[in-house]
Structure formats: C-alpha cells, structure tokens
C-alpha cells in the first residue's frame, strides 16, 4: 500500500507495540502530529510542559515497565531539549527511542530556521542514531531503532526525520516486530573458573547493580545463588529493591553513602562477585584499593566493562539471567557462619538515625510513607540528599519499583519520570515522587502535565532551603565556604500547587505529615507535601572521594545524632 511518511510513522509505532508517546509539537513535526490526531484511538499522546520533561517521562515509562519509552520533539530547540533526558537514559541503560523533526532535506546544513544537527549532538549519548533522508528508508530505520534499544545492553536510539520525509509517499509493507535475541551461549571455561572461585571462598560478597534489576529472571537467579552459596550481598543505587530487606544476607547499599557494613565486608572479603555493575567512582572510590584482598569475578553483558575501572581475576560475559542460571548448578551449597558472625558485629556499628515527633527527620518521612502506601508502590526520586535517604530507607522488595538517575545524576529528573511511570502503570497504582527543593525547582513546571492528565502522583518535597548535598560537601571538604548553595528562595509550595491546580500541604512535624499524606492518598489528582527539614541534616555515612571504608566521615557525635 502507498502511505506518506507520517502514516508510516504511526503504523510502525503501532507495529512495535507502542501505545503511549510523550512529546511536544512544533513546525517540523506538524505532519506527524496531524497523523497522531487521526490515530488517537491507537496511540495515546502525552503532551508535557517541556521536551526535557517528555524525555524523562519516556525514561520513567521504560524503567517502570521494561518496554521501550518513546518521545517526540520538533527540530532545533525541541530536539536539543531532549539531550539531558537522552543522556540520563544512556548512562542508566534505559531503552528509549527519541524521534526528532528537522528542516527539509533540501536545506539541511544551511542554518535554516530551527535547524540543529541533532544526530551529531547526540552521537556520544546514544547507542545509535539516524537521519532519514529517503521516505523509503523510514519504516526499516524505525524498526532498527526499536531493535537496538532493547538488544544487549539497553539504551536510547535517536531517529531524526526531516519534514519533507513526513510528507513524501512510498510503498509500505507491514512487518512483525523483530524478536530481540538473547545470547544464551556462555563460555564454559569462564563459567567453571567463576564457580571455582566461589566454591573456594570463605568470606564471599556479592556486589550487584542495575544489570540484575532489569528483569525478574535475573533477580530470582541472584536470590537463588546467594541462598545456595550463603553469600551476603550489597548493591548499587540502581539495584535497590532486588533483595528483601529482612534477609540476613542483605548488607544494604554500597559506596559513598552505603552502609558501613557493606563497605567493610567488601574491604575484608576474599571474593567479590560483581554482577551487572560497573565499579563506578561512587562505589570503587579508590579503584586500586577496592576489595584489595579479594579475588574479583565480574559478570556483565558488555565485554567492554570488564577490567574498565577495576582489574578482575575472572569474568563471564553474558546476560545476567543466563549466566546466573548456568552458574547455579556449578556452585556448591555452603554455609559461612563465622563470616556472618563478623558481619553482625559490623552491623551493630552501622549508623542508625534517631526518630523525633517534633522535628521532621528524612528517614521517618520515608519509612512512614512506605508504611502508609504499601509494598507495591513505585518510588521515583530526583538527585541529591533526598535521593540517598530514599535509597537507604525505602524498604521495598520490587524490581522496577525504585526509579532514579544514577549515572548522570540529573536534578529535575523526578517529576517527568513519575509522570511516565504513572501513565504506564495506571492511576490505580501508587507513585511517590521524592524530591528536594533544589531539584524540584528545575522541572516543577511538569505539574501542569500531572494536573491535565489527572495523575495522582504524590510529590514529597524535602525542603531545607539549600542545595543540601552540595552544601554537605562544602561542609566536609571546603571549610564551610557555602558558595551559591543558599538560593534564598521564597517559594510558597502550597500556593504554587494550587496555582497549577494541584493540592498542596505544608508540614513541620510527623503528625502533620501523617495527616497530609493520609489526605493526599485520597486525592484523584497530583499532591505536593512540603516537609520542612533542617539545612544541616546530613546523609550519613559518607566516604570522601578517593577514600576507602576506613575514611567514613562519621564522628561519634554524628553517630548519636539525628
């Protein structure tokens, strides 16, 4: 059949199983939007307040479901406004396809109105990208983009479509979506070597990351392995929720803001089994000293990650679920009572914050939220102190239940991502958005999107009226020279929420917070709960950059405070 480019665009989206598209219209994509108007019954379009919000929404949709998130923006500034969201998805291996419009092919490269070379701009932050120059190539280019986004190590792909391509016509042949291949081949020698090192270990520790959290199959295989071999486990920010928090083998978060026990166990281990984790600078703060006394085995889907940041003694390249399932029969059932006795001693020294009913404490706000909303809640964070508090104190066991920007650390990520998650999961599912006043100011304009689509997202604002994490670093490492971390903002969040059409609350005590959250849980649209917290509230413990577990910056006084 003969279709124009805009019709092909919609047909391929439907063919690929896309039911939701986040975006913002503009001149270069008007043909596409006209066709989307004609197909409202097939594709649900969510118009955000800003293209960056749309890119984060597509990201949140993908993280919450495992499906490919899709975003559409016009040329020039519309396309460049996607860059931060694309980079966020790239760093955290989120499957996304970003479509951008561009000026007509006849004027490409001539600085036409709203022209930007978005293919070149995004080359370092995408798995692949394309500019479609013939309408005959549009359908297969789109199909290839979806295949690449979901294959192997997942990530974003960009397809730039000049306006004349959306109007031109050609023969279109429908196709079924390509099956995403999973490489089930694992090198037998590598697998045997990994099993041998695990079986020899007396002080093993599993360190896992987002590469495990992406599928229930890999999560369950990991749980089976650590139970059979009796290995304690620690995880990165991207893998919170994989292990039950009541499990004795769960050591908690690792790294700069991880538990003392997790960091100490890795430091004293004789084996570290790293799965789907990349030894980032927030975990291996000093690569030369990381697990210096241990044999290190690395399992990763991407061969380029092996030996990239930390040299390892053995490695297995492959999908985490496939490798773990193949490894399980080769690992001996074991018990490590002496190792767990030592771990229990360290856990007794872990930092435990103190509760208060008269002053709002971050850990209490988070724990109370968990208790009042239930185990199926999806939590989304921005970036900063509140993000680390959430990672430390959100007690849930649900892969895909904790959405956060780990690799890029994108302030302003949260509201867009929460919108994407809420749209994906439906209004019957609870989505909680934790944010700080600094992060929230970056993209709070997306409140109008949440209101327009009646999304019952509850945003909990940790308002200390400073840029908390940066200020904490200035306190610890810069002699308390607070340069540009006290913005002196006078924002009234309750009035602002009401101005957007949302419901706002302000709290200074736990009783006020409980009452506000209880009412917010009954609202049909979005709610904001402002929590006034002390600007000197710290994220503890903290290992300084380049440090080791021995350098955790926590005094005895701090251990007994807050």
């Amino acid at each position: 059949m003969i279709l124009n480019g805009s019709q092909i665009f919609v047909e391929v989206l439907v063919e690929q199983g896309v039911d939701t598209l986040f975006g913002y219209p503009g001149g270069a994509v008007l043909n596409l939007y006209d066709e989307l108007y004609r197909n409202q019954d097939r594709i649900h379009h969510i118009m955000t307040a800003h293209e960056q919000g749309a890119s984060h929404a597509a990201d949140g949709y993908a993280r919450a479901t495992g499906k490919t998130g899709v975003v559409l923006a016009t040329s020039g500034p519309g396309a460049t406004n996607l860059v931060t969201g694309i980079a966020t998805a790239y760093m955290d291996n989120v499957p996304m396809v970003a479509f951008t419009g561009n000026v007509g092919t006849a004027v490409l490269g001539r600085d036409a109105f709203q022209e930007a070379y978005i293919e070149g701009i995004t080359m370092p932050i995408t798995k692949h990208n394309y500019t479609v120059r013939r309408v005959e190539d549009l359908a297969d280019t789109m199909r290839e983009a979806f295949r690449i986004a979901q294959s192997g190590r997942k990530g974003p792909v960009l397809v730039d479509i000049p306006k004349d391509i959306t109007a031109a016509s050609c023969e279109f042949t429908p196709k079924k979506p390509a099956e995403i291949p999973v490489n089930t081949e694992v090198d037998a020698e590598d697998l045997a070597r990994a099993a041998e090192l695990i079986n020899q270990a007396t002080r093993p520790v599993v360190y896992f990351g987002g590469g495990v959290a992406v599928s229930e199959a890999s999560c369950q295989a990991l749980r089976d392995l650590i139970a059979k071999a009796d290995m304690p486990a620690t995880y990165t920010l991207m893998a919170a929720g994989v292990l039950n928090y009541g499990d004795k083998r769960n050591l908690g978060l690792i790294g700069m803001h991880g538990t003392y026990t997790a960091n100490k166990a890795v430091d004293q281990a004789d084996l570290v089994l790293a799965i789907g984790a990349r030894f980032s600078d927030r975990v291996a703060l000093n690569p030369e000293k990381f697990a210096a006394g241990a044999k290190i085995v690395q399992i990763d889907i991407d061969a380029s990650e092996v030996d990239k940041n930390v040299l390892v003694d053995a490695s297995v390249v492959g999908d985490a679920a496939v490798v773990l399932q193949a490894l399980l029969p080769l690992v001996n059932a074991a018990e490590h009572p002496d190792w767990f006795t030592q771990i229990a001693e360290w856990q007794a020294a872990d930092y435990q914050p103190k509760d208060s009913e008269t002053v709002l404490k971050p850990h209490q706000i988070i724990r109370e939220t968990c208790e009042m909303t239930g185990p199926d809640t999806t939590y989304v964070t921005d970036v900063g102190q509140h993000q680390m508090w959430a990672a430390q104190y959100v007690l849930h066991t649900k892969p895909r239940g904790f959405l956060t920007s780990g690799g890029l650390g994108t302030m302003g990520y949260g509201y867009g991502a929460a919108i994407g998650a809420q749209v994906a999961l439906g209004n019957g599912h609870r989505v909680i958005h934790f944010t700080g006043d600094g992060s929230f100011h970056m993209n709070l304009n997306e409140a109008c999107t949440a209101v327009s689509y009646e999304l019952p997202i509850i945003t909990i604002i940790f308002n200390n009226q400073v840029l908390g994490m940066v200020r904490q670093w200035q306190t610890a490492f810069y002699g308390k020279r607070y340069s540009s971390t006290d913005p002196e903002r006078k924002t009234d969040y309750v009035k602002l929420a009401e101005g957007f059409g949302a419901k706002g609350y302000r709290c200074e005590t736990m009783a006020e917070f409980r009452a506000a959250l209880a009412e917010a849980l009954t609202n049909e649209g979005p709610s904001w709960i402002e929590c006034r917290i002390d600007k000197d509230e710290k994220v503890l413990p903290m290992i300084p950059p380049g440090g080791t577990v021995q350098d955790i910056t926590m005094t005895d006084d701090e251990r007994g405070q807050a």
Side-chain angles (χ1 to χ4, degrees):
M1 64 184 123
I2 301 298
L3 299 181
N4 65 36
S6 298
Q7 293 170 321
I8 292 171
F9 177 79
V10 169
E11 291 303 322
V12 175
L13 290 182
V14 173
E15 173 187 292
Q16 296 296 316
V18 175
D19 54 20
T20 303
L21 177 69
F22 302 90
Y24 201 98
V29 290
L30 283 182
N31 291 334
L32 299 178
Y33 270 88
D34 191 52
E35 196 60 34
L36 287 168
Y37 178 85
R38 300 170 190 271
N39 288 272
Q40 296 177 62
D41 59 329
R42 304 170 77 194
I43 296 178
H44 186 205
H45 180 270
I46 303 292
M47 179 185 169
T48 56
H50 188 279
E51 291 92 351
Q52 183 179 341
S55 64
H56 292 324
D59 176 303
Y61 180 98
R63 295 193 203 220
T65 63
K67 297 172 63 177
T68 302
V70 185
V71 62
L72 171 63
T74 194
S75 64
T80 58
N81 282 344
L82 296 180
V83 168
T84 298
I86 293 171
T88 300
Y90 182 75
M91 289 289 283
D92 289 343
N93 309 127
V94 178
M96 176 195 294
V97 176
F99 293 102
T100 53
N102 214 328
V103 300
T105 54
V107 292
L108 281 173
R110 298 188 181 187
D111 296 330
F113 176 67
Q114 289 194 332
E115 179 183 4
Y117 179 35
I118 195 64
E119 183 182 355
I121 291 169
T122 59
M123 190 173 292
I125 55 169
T126 53
K127 287 187 71 177
H128 202 354
N129 57 19
Y130 305 85
T131 297
V132 180
R133 296 177 182 270
R134 298 170 64 248
V135 69
E136 292 84 359
D137 298 330
L138 177 59
D140 284 343
T141 299
M142 291 177 64
R143 291 163 179 150
E144 185 74 355
F146 280 94
R147 185 191 66 78
I148 292 172
Q150 283 283 0
S151 298
R153 185 174 182 171
K154 304 179 194 305
V157 180
L158 181 132
V159 180
D160 192 39
I161 311 173
K163 187 170 184 178
D164 57 317
I165 302 300
T166 66
S169 299
C170 70
E171 181 71 27
F172 173 75
T173 302
K175 293 182 180 179
K176 293 182 179 180
E179 290 190 15
I180 305 301
V182 176
N183 186 359
T184 57
E185 295 183 6
V186 181
D187 187 285
E189 291 186 8
D190 292 344
L191 204 62
R193 175 60 176 157
E196 179 185 19
L197 291 174
I198 294 170
N199 292 333
Q200 291 174 351
T202 59
R203 300 188 309 280
V205 173
V206 175
Y207 146 57
F208 65 94
V212 172
V214 294
S215 77
E216 179 55 39
S218 52
C219 293
Q220 189 56 53
L222 172 72
R223 298 183 198 115
D224 293 342
L225 180 66
I226 66 174
K228 182 178 183 180
D230 196 31
M231 296 185 289
T234 180
Y235 51 85
T236 69
L237 182 67
M238 300 305 300
V242 172
L243 296 183
N244 190 311
Y245 283 84
D247 191 329
K248 73 166 188 174
R249 300 182 183 90
N250 186 347
L251 304 181
L253 191 69
I254 190 173
M256 178 175 285
H257 295 295
T259 67
Y260 175 77
T261 299
N263 287 294
K264 189 69 174 176
V266 168
D267 188 62
Q268 296 296 308
D270 63 358
L271 173 79
V272 171
L273 176 61
I275 311 169
R278 55 191 175 86
F279 300 94
S280 80
D281 59 314
R282 285 299 189 266
V283 171
L285 293 100
N286 189 327
E288 294 182 357
K289 295 183 179 180
F290 183 80
K295 298 287 186 182
I296 301 177
V297 178
Q298 184 174 6
I299 297 171
D300 204 282
I301 198 169
D302 187 350
S304 70
E305 285 295 335
V306 176
D307 288 333
K308 186 176 82 173
N309 293 327
V310 171
L311 297 179
V312 301
D313 298 279
S315 64
V316 185
V317 175
D319 180 274
V322 172
V323 174
L324 289 172
Q325 289 164 359
L327 187 61
L328 194 58
L330 305 179
V331 170
N332 298 332
E335 293 184 355
H336 300 102
D338 294 342
W339 184 219
F340 277 98
T341 297
Q342 174 62 77
I343 287 170
E345 292 178 8
W346 291 328
Q347 287 174 325
D350 264 327
Y351 172 71
Q352 298 294 334
K354 297 294 181 64
D355 292 352
S356 173
E357 285 298 313
T358 58
V359 178
L360 284 175
K361 295 293 184 179
H363 74 280
Q364 274 183 282
I365 293 169
I366 294 166
R367 293 280 173 83
E368 195 72 36
T369 301
C370 293
E371 291 179 8
M372 292 179 67
T373 58
D376 291 329
T377 300
T378 295
Y379 300 93
V380 185
T381 83
D382 274 292
V383 170
Q385 287 179 313
H386 70 275
Q387 177 190 32
M388 295 299 108
W389 286 320
Q392 291 173 341
Y393 301 122
V394 169
L395 303 186
H396 71 289
T397 305
K398 181 188 172 189
R400 301 195 181 282
F402 186 76
L403 315 185
T404 193
S405 172
L408 197 64
T410 305
M411 292 177 69
Y413 165 81
Y415 215 162
I419 288 168
Q422 191 75 77
V423 168
L425 300 171
N427 283 3
H429 186 96
R430 178 60 60 193
V431 174
I432 299 290
H433 169 214
F434 290 124
T435 188
D437 54 303
S439 283
F440 195 46
H441 271 98
M442 289 195 169
N443 274 328
L444 58 79
N445 53 330
E446 292 304 337
C448 67
T449 308
V451 169
S452 295
Y453 293 95
E454 299 181 330
L455 303 176
I457 299 164
I458 297 177
T459 295
I460 298 175
I461 307 164
F462 292 78
N463 183 15
N464 55 9
Q465 298 183 307
V466 295
L467 303 182
M469 186 61 87
V470 184
R471 190 177 192 275
Q472 181 172 339
W473 279 50
Q474 289 172 336
T475 301
F477 309 124
Y478 292 88
K480 298 185 178 181
R481 295 184 293 278
Y482 300 123
S483 176
S484 299
T485 47
D486 189 347
E488 300 289 348
R489 290 171 179 150
K490 308 300 180 185
T491 306
D492 187 321
Y493 293 98
V494 174
K495 289 181 179 178
L496 186 58
E498 292 172 353
F500 274 114
K503 182 67 176 176
Y505 305 87
R506 182 176 296 112
C507 308
E508 295 187 1
T509 67
M510 282 306 300
E512 291 175 349
F513 176 75
R514 293 185 188 101
L517 181 56
E519 183 175 328
L521 288 169
T522 68
N523 294 339
E524 294 184 356
S527 305
W528 299 1
I529 304 176
E530 178 194 2
C531 298
R532 297 284 185 89
I533 64 172
D534 192 315
K535 65 182 178 181
D536 290 318
E537 193 77 47
K538 297 180 179 67
V539 178
L540 294 173
M542 185 166 86
I543 303 175
T548 64
V549 67
Q550 285 78 13
D551 302 315
I552 284 182
T553 57
M554 180 171 60
T555 67
D556 290 339
D557 288 340
E558 287 172 332
R559 191 186 299 277
Q561 290 175 1

